[in-house]
Amino acid sequence: MIEYSLTHSKRKTVGIYIRDGKVEVRAPLKYPKSEIDQFVASKEKWIVNNLAKSQKQAKQKAAFALNYGDTISFRGTAYPLVTKVGKRAGFDGECFYLPPKLESDLIRDVCVKIYRHLAKKHLTDRVAIYAEKMGVTPADVKINSAKTRWGSCSSQKNINFSWRLIMADDDVIDYAVVHELAHIIQMNHSEKFWLTVENVLPDYKMCKVRLQKLQKRLATEDWG
């Protein structure tokens, strides 16, 4: 029998989720445990295959570490992590510079702060450019730490982006920007929505695939 954690909530169906090498089952309130076990057993092949992938990713994440001399991605280009005398850290167009003698976890945390700053500036600029082209007016642009969503657009026209997006190539970043701005016009993923995106970026499908590849890579890296 496959081991799993069980969470009951106000939902209508049973769902199986694999996170960090573990199996989680979510079921409706008062749903019989025996029926949950049967459902899990019926999905054994799928669970075993995906659990192996998830456990491999979990090991890779656990081994992830940043050190001086490593390279990290900014707008699709790899830049080195270098030491610089003093207490300041930042990005100068050629490298990410950090104070000396930082432990790996602190190097990561400092890099995330730099990424957030760079993401806020670049994404705000790109939103302004494409908002004008598309004839829309977002209320605000915010940067968050989302791990599984690149961006979102609320009904109040507030747009959020994960700072991780700044690692992608420029055209892929632009795709994410156009995607969220298109939601101001169409708050769904209907055919009209995708036509709105395509009218601005005819090759958006290629960018979408490359963004998915980046998502898979980041699933093996621990950025906190």
Side-chain angles (χ1 to χ4, degrees), residues 159-173:
I159 294 180
N160 297 281
F161 293 108
S162 169
W163 63 261
R164 291 167 171 79
L165 182 60
I166 204 62
M167 296 183 187
D169 293 324
D170 280 348
D171 57 343
V172 176
I173 292 174

Side-chain angles (χ1 to χ4, degrees), residues 22 43 65 84 96-97 101 110 138 149-150 158 213 220:
K22 298 179 181 179
K43 302 294 183 181
K84 184 176 181 180
F96 285 80
Y97 59 88
K101 299 181 180 180
V110 172
R149 296 186 69 180
W150 294 110
N158 292 313
K213 288 182 178 179
T220 66

Side-chain angles (χ1 to χ4, degrees), residues 13-220:
T13 60
V14 178
I16 301 175
Y17 304 86
I18 297 178
R19 301 276 191 276
D20 298 324
K22 298 179 181 179
V23 180
E24 177 188 352
V25 177
R26 300 175 191 175
L29 298 172
K30 299 182 180 180
Y31 200 89
K33 179 67 163 55
S34 59
E35 292 187 26
I36 294 175
D37 287 341
Q38 290 178 5
F39 180 74
V40 171
S42 72
K43 302 294 183 181
E44 182 176 4
K45 185 176 180 180
W46 179 88
I47 293 172
V48 170
N49 288 338
N50 285 276
L51 190 58
K53 294 178 183 177
S54 181
Q55 289 173 339
K56 181 179 179 181
Q57 287 182 348
K59 289 181 180 179
Q60 290 173 317
K61 287 184 70 171
F64 179 76
L66 288 179
N67 297 290
Y68 300 108
D70 290 344
T71 60
I72 58 175
S73 179
F74 171 59
R75 292 172 56 187
T77 299
Y79 293 93
L81 299 175
V82 302
T83 58
K84 184 176 181 180
V85 176
K87 297 182 179 180
R88 300 187 66 180
F91 175 75
D92 63 9
E94 295 184 357
C95 68
F96 285 80
Y97 59 88
L98 309 111
K101 299 181 180 180
L102 297 181
E103 297 293 332
S104 179
D105 285 351
L106 191 52
I107 290 177
R108 180 198 63 191
D109 294 345
V110 172
C111 286
V112 170
K113 289 182 180 179
I114 299 172
Y115 269 140
R116 291 182 69 99
H117 173 75
L118 294 171
K120 177 64 175 179
K121 183 179 186 308
H122 184 69
L123 288 166
T124 300
D125 289 346
R126 301 311 289 173
V127 166
I129 290 171
Y130 279 103
E132 183 176 358
K133 287 183 179 180
M134 298 169 68
V136 296
T137 305
D140 198 5
V141 178
K142 297 180 180 180
I143 304 300
N144 60 33
S145 298
K147 297 180 180 180
T148 58
R149 296 186 69 180
W150 294 110
S152 62
C153 177
S154 72
S155 58
Q156 288 77 38
K157 301 181 181 180
N158 292 313
I159 294 180
N160 297 281
F161 293 108
S162 169
W163 63 261
R164 291 167 171 79
L165 182 60
I166 204 62
M167 296 183 187
D169 293 324
D170 280 348
D171 57 343
V172 176
I173 292 174
D174 285 352
Y175 157 67
V177 169
V178 171
H179 183 116
E180 299 311 328
L181 288 173
H183 278 309
I184 296 178
I185 302 170
Q186 294 285 335
M187 288 297 292
N188 50 50
H189 286 110
S190 64
E191 184 177 350
K192 288 183 178 180
F193 168 83
W194 290 113
L195 284 174
T196 300
V197 175
E198 188 173 25
N199 285 337
V200 183
L201 298 175
D203 62 345
Y204 81 89
K205 290 182 180 178
M206 293 178 61
C207 293
K208 186 178 179 180
V209 170
R210 287 157 60 200
L211 196 54
Q212 291 170 342
K213 288 182 178 179
L214 177 58
Q215 182 76 65
K216 290 181 180 179
R217 193 199 87 193
L218 291 179
T220 66

